[in-house]
């Protein structure tokens, strides 16, 4: 089987998320790193691209990469966009319209209108637009979803999701340019912490329960008062299948490291998973005893088995979760090329629709927060 060709925009030397994408895309030998415009500084992008052997497919800008790849007989099959948020819409739109499949970092866009446009373009061009809610790639998150889908814990009553860390808790650091822009509406948009981290937790709540958010009420606050945008949010929400949702996100929670986790409570049992201990899933059947489900155990769901590689007892972490998004995408691209159905256990990658629902939630949180917690519609106009 020949490898698919993979390209990347952003993710230059020293970037936060670039290395995790390169590890994830290369892990299973399905993609070959072929092209890139890796840095906002053209010369540095070309130089860094050469360190990966990209040759004359190390480009100085994404515009150059788009026009050059379009002219090739064997252009890249998938382009990952890992640039700052405000550039996602323009680059994603251009590559979809240019005939490329895209994996865009979150948040997919800066507005709901842009997100709706991306969904429409992806549909019209029949090009995949995936969004990197990469934590949904963890094996045991996929197993949770499978357990919920097959009814192991019954009808879902409550979901409680968190993404709370403490990395912007130092008030003395508030003016640091690397931190300050995140809380500045001119650069970050209508929301800071919820748009950056809360949407991961919200996506996970939807991914695991199979339900989408319909309305929400938000209490948002800038604990460090010079910040214009929130550094902490508590969001109550309701889902279309009847589940009640609670979500806490924070960047001032000193002592919390990554802080992503989810609990789901149904009529017949409860499940609990935390990203910092991703190889254990806690399952409590009603009236039974707590069970610890280990990643890599025999007879987990096909979705979990497909998403695990090393044997039980050895840790799997974030780049391997990203790798599962890439293996899903490789299968989706091959299915499209071969005009066949995709393997259902691979059909789990987050889509442009998820990116759109997140943007609608971001704006709903900002609106509700402004109105002191009034309940507001959280559905995108095109799905309401
Ligand atoms: N899914 C996740 O878990 C996760 C985690 C962290 C960051 N992110 C997202 O990834 C994106 C990047 O975040 P980061 O923390 O890596 O940022 P960063 O500032 O560390 O790196 C950004 C990189 O993009 C490059 N760049 C900027 N503009 C460019 C352009 N026009 N063309 C080519 N390259 C350009 C920069 O030179 C740099 O190398 C953000 O959207 C962020 O929200 C997602």
């Amino acid at each position: 089987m020949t490898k698919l060709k993979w390209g990347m925009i952003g993710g230059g030397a020293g970037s936060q998320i670039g290395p995790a994408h390169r590890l994830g895309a290369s892990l299973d030998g399905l993609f070959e790193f072929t092209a890139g415009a890796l840095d906002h500084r053209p010369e540095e992008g070309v130089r860094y691209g050469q360190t990966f052997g990209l040759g004359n497919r190390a480009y100085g800008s994404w515009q150059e990469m788009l026009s050059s790849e379009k002219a090739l007989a064997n252009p890249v099959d998938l382009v990952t966009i890992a640039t700052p948020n405000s550039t996602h819409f323009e680059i994603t739109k251009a590559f979809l319209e240019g005939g490329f499949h895209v994996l865009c970092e979150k948040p997919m866009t800066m507005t709901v209108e842009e997100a709706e446009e991306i969904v429409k373009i992806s549909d019209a061009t029949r090009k995949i637009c995936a969004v990197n809610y990469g934590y949904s790639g963890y094996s045991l998150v996929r197993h949770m979803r499978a357990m919920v889908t097959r009814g192991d814990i019954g009808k879902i009553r409550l979901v409680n999701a968190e993404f709370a860390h403490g990395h912007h808790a130092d008030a003395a650091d508030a003016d640091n340019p690397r931190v300050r822009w995140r809380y500045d509406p001119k650069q970050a948009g209508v929301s800071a912490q919820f748009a950056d981290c809360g949407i991961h937790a919200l996506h996970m709540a939807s991914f695991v329960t199979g339900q989408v958010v319909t309305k929400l009420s938000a209490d948002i606050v800038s604990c460090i008062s010079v910040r214009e945008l929130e550094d902490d949010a508590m969001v109550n929400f309701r889902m279309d299948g009847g589940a009640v949702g609670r979500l806490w996100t924070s960047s001032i929670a000193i002592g919390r490291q990554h802080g992503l986790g989810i609990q789901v409570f149904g009529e017949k049992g409860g499940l609990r998973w935390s990203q910092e201990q991703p190889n254990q899933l806690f399952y409590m059947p009603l009236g039974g005893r707590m069970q610890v489900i280990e990643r890599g155990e025999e007879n987990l769901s096909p979705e979990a088995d497909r998403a695990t590689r090393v044997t039980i007892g050895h840790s799997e972490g974030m780049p391997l979760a990203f790798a599962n998004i890439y293996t899903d995408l490789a299968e989706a691209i091959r299915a499209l090329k071969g005009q066949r159905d995709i393997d259902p256990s691979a059909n789990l990658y987050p889509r442009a629709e998820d990116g759109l629902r997140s943007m609608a939630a971001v704006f709903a949180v900002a609106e509700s927060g402004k109105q002191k917690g009034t309940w507001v519609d959280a559905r995108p106009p095109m799905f309401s």
Side-chain angles (χ1 to χ4, degrees):
M1 195 163 61
T2 53
K3 289 188 181 189
L4 296 168
K5 293 184 170 43
W6 177 62
M8 186 173 201
I9 299 166
S15 66
Q16 188 190 167
I17 208 65
H21 279 284
R22 286 188 283 275
L23 281 167
S26 62
L27 190 79
D28 294 310
L30 298 169
F31 289 99
E32 179 185 0
F33 190 14
T34 309
L38 304 179
D39 203 283
H40 64 287
R41 297 159 297 177
E43 281 175 19
E44 171 58 18
V46 172
R47 184 206 65 78
Y48 194 51
Q50 302 298 354
T51 68
F52 299 103
L54 301 185
N56 63 2
R57 290 168 84 173
Y59 300 104
S61 71
W62 66 263
Q63 290 91 341
E64 188 193 341
M65 175 167 158
L66 177 60
S67 58
S68 301
E69 289 293 316
K70 265 167 76 173
L72 294 175
N74 289 307
V76 285
D77 295 287
L78 174 70
V79 177
T80 292
I81 297 166
T83 50
N85 303 355
S86 62
T87 63
H88 293 174
F89 170 68
E90 185 187 15
I91 306 176
T92 300
K93 180 175 181 315
F95 274 85
L96 288 173
E97 288 176 342
F100 295 90
H101 301 301
V102 169
L103 170 60
C104 181
E105 260 305 343
K106 45 56 61 176
M108 183 172 79
T109 60
M110 297 294 283
T111 69
V112 178
E113 293 73 23
E114 289 170 351
E116 289 201 337
E117 199 177 331
I118 293 293
V119 169
K120 287 178 192 157
I121 295 169
S122 170
D123 285 348
T125 56
R126 296 181 50 78
K127 295 294 159 197
I128 294 167
C129 180
V131 182
N132 192 37
Y133 292 110
Y135 308 113
S136 63
Y138 278 99
S139 174
L140 288 180
V141 171
R142 292 182 169 202
H143 188 62
M144 270 179 110
R145 178 187 160 101
M147 287 182 75
V148 169
T149 306
R150 72 190 182 204
D152 291 6
I153 62 168
K155 185 173 162 50
I156 303 303
R157 290 174 171 152
L158 183 68
V159 53
N160 184 6
E162 287 184 2
F163 195 156
H165 66 77
H167 301 301
H168 301 155
D170 186 351
D173 207 27
D175 214 28
N176 173 346
R178 294 206 67 167
V179 175
R180 191 181 51 210
W181 73 266
R182 296 170 176 277
Y183 300 93
D184 174 1
K186 285 187 223 60
Q187 293 181 72
V190 296
S191 158
Q193 180 57 20
F194 184 79
D196 190 34
C197 294
I199 57 174
H200 276 296
L202 197 70
H203 175 263
M204 190 164 283
S206 281
F207 181 78
V208 168
T209 61
Q211 299 184 31
V212 298
V213 178
T214 52
K215 60 181 180 175
L216 62 79
S217 156
D219 179 14
I220 60 177
V221 62
S222 304
C223 290
I224 295 183
S225 59
V226 293
R227 291 176 173 159
E228 273 190 67
L229 295 174
E230 85 288 354
D231 51 22
D232 187 281
M234 183 65 85
V235 182
N236 285 307
F237 57 95
R238 297 290 184 270
M239 307 187 86
D240 66 344
V244 170
R246 319 273 185 217
L247 187 154
W248 174 46
T249 187
S250 187
S251 66
I252 55 89
I254 297 172
R256 302 277 301 236
Q257 295 302 337
H258 195 248
L260 173 65
I262 186 161
Q263 302 178 78
V264 188
F265 305 101
E267 290 174 347
K268 295 195 300 182
L271 291 164
R272 172 162 53 89
W273 179 86
S274 160
Q275 198 244 339
E276 289 174 41
Q277 286 85 38
N279 296 290
Q280 287 82 35
L281 171 63
F282 294 88
Y283 168 42
M284 179 78 182
L286 179 68
R289 292 214 168 139
M290 183 68 84
Q291 298 172 26
V292 183
I293 297 171
E294 289 278 345
R295 187 206 52 74
E297 270 177 17
E298 284 180 15
N299 299 320
L300 293 185
S301 51
E303 294 88 338
D305 291 345
R306 188 178 180 281
T308 191
R309 293 173 186 78
V310 299
T311 48
I312 188 167
H314 299 284
S315 299
E316 279 187 7
M318 182 258 230
L320 277 79
F322 279 24
N324 291 328
I325 306 294
Y326 280 97
T327 53
D328 288 355
L329 288 170
E331 164 61 12
I333 293 167
R334 288 194 192 288
L336 276 175
K337 281 183 181 233
Q339 299 185 333
R340 60 167 173 80
D341 290 337
I342 183 173
D343 170 355
S345 65
N347 201 8
L348 294 175
Y349 63 88
R351 273 118 162 121
E353 286 81 2
D354 298 298
L356 167 58
R357 288 190 189 281
S358 298
M359 276 326 288
V362 164
F363 276 77
V365 162
E367 183 59 28
S368 172
K370 243 191 286 170
Q371 296 179 27
K372 303 203 180 315
T374 303
W375 282 85
V376 296
D377 195 334
R379 297 167 301 172
M382 73 185 272
F383 296 148
S384 61

